[in-house]
Amino acid sequence: MTAPATLDSTPETPAADGGRASGRRIGLVGVAVAVVVALLLGYAGGLLTPQLTRPGDDSVEAGFARDMTAHHAQAVEMGLMAFQRATDPEVRGIGGDIATNQQGEIGTMQTWLREWGLDPTGSQPRMAWMPDGPKMVRDGLMPGMATPEEMERLRTAQGREFDLLFLDLMIKHHVGGVHMIDGVLDASDEKDVVRTAQTMKNTQQTDLVNLQNAQKRLGG
């Protein structure tokens, strides 16, 4: 029986380049499937949100769900690039984990909005739900997000340059994300939102340790 594809990076072997490329393609399919499964599980988890009280359109919870969905979407894109193209096995693994975890969280947050009877996008400006939020938005980008120019650099970078650029951008991205999570933890008393946000924070803090250790090891 053929073993299922996993998020583990494809190990290097003495096989021909064609064999390694084929293995990498199989690995990418595996992480893509994992991302889809994570999204579906996230939707299922969001369905458990209590229905007795529902946050309103301009609530902290709705603003967080909308803004963090957009914030996570960029991390998923970067994580998938790292899993596919990073030369360092640890960086590939970190990228795959981030893409899978954050896609699942997107599913949960989008399910909240549907269950609250709210649109995926609202009328409030980005970060309006945080007291210091609006002043932290730069050119439409929330805290820690990479600029279009930085994303283009990442798409075109190769080899060690790609690995180090990914680590740098993702560290900044996670630091900004944790600040946003702290904002909803300080302001919300919705049990499911608080529980999920705390899990997000714990995961991102663990990611940050791994990202920073990899950056030091690679001489970044």
Side-chain angles (χ1 to χ4, degrees), residues 74 77-78 81 85 141 145-158 161-162 165-166 169:
Q74 188 182 69
E77 181 182 359
M78 289 195 290
M81 279 194 280
R85 296 173 44 214
L141 299 173
M145 291 186 72
T147 65
E149 293 76 17
E150 288 171 330
M151 289 298 291
E152 185 58 29
R153 280 180 57 204
L154 187 64
R155 293 185 189 101
T156 58
Q158 300 291 329
E161 178 190 0
F162 173 91
L165 182 57
F166 166 76
L169 294 178

Side-chain angles (χ1 to χ4, degrees), residues 50-65:
Q51 299 300 304
L52 297 179
T53 60
R54 295 183 178 185
D57 191 63
D58 60 351
S59 65
V60 167
E61 293 82 7
F64 172 77

Side-chain angles (χ1 to χ4, degrees), residues 10-140:
T10 305
E12 295 294 335
T13 68
D17 289 345
R20 288 199 300 270
S22 176
R24 182 68 57 80
R25 284 194 294 272
I26 293 171
L28 183 59
V29 170
V31 82
V33 170
V35 165
V36 172
V37 170
L39 179 61
L40 294 175
L41 290 175
Y43 283 142
L47 290 172
L48 300 177
T49 304
Q51 299 300 304
L52 297 179
T53 60
R54 295 183 178 185
D57 191 63
D58 60 351
S59 65
V60 167
E61 293 82 7
F64 172 77
R66 289 162 174 155
D67 287 351
M68 191 56 81
T69 290
H71 201 273
H72 271 23
Q74 188 182 69
V76 171
E77 181 182 359
M78 289 195 290
L80 287 174
M81 279 194 280
F83 183 82
Q84 182 179 11
R85 296 173 44 214
T87 58
D88 184 78
E90 183 184 9
V91 175
R92 289 201 301 272
I94 292 172
D97 288 345
I98 288 172
T100 302
N101 291 336
Q102 298 213 2
Q103 190 65 57
E105 291 166 357
I106 287 173
T108 297
M109 293 184 288
Q110 290 300 295
T111 301
W112 289 344
L113 293 171
R114 285 200 305 276
E115 292 300 304
W116 297 338
L118 303 177
D119 292 333
T121 58
S123 58
Q124 296 294 313
R126 289 287 192 204
M127 302 292 294
W129 54 277
M130 278 185 70
D132 62 344
K135 68 182 181 182
M136 298 173 61
V137 177
R138 296 288 184 271
D139 298 324

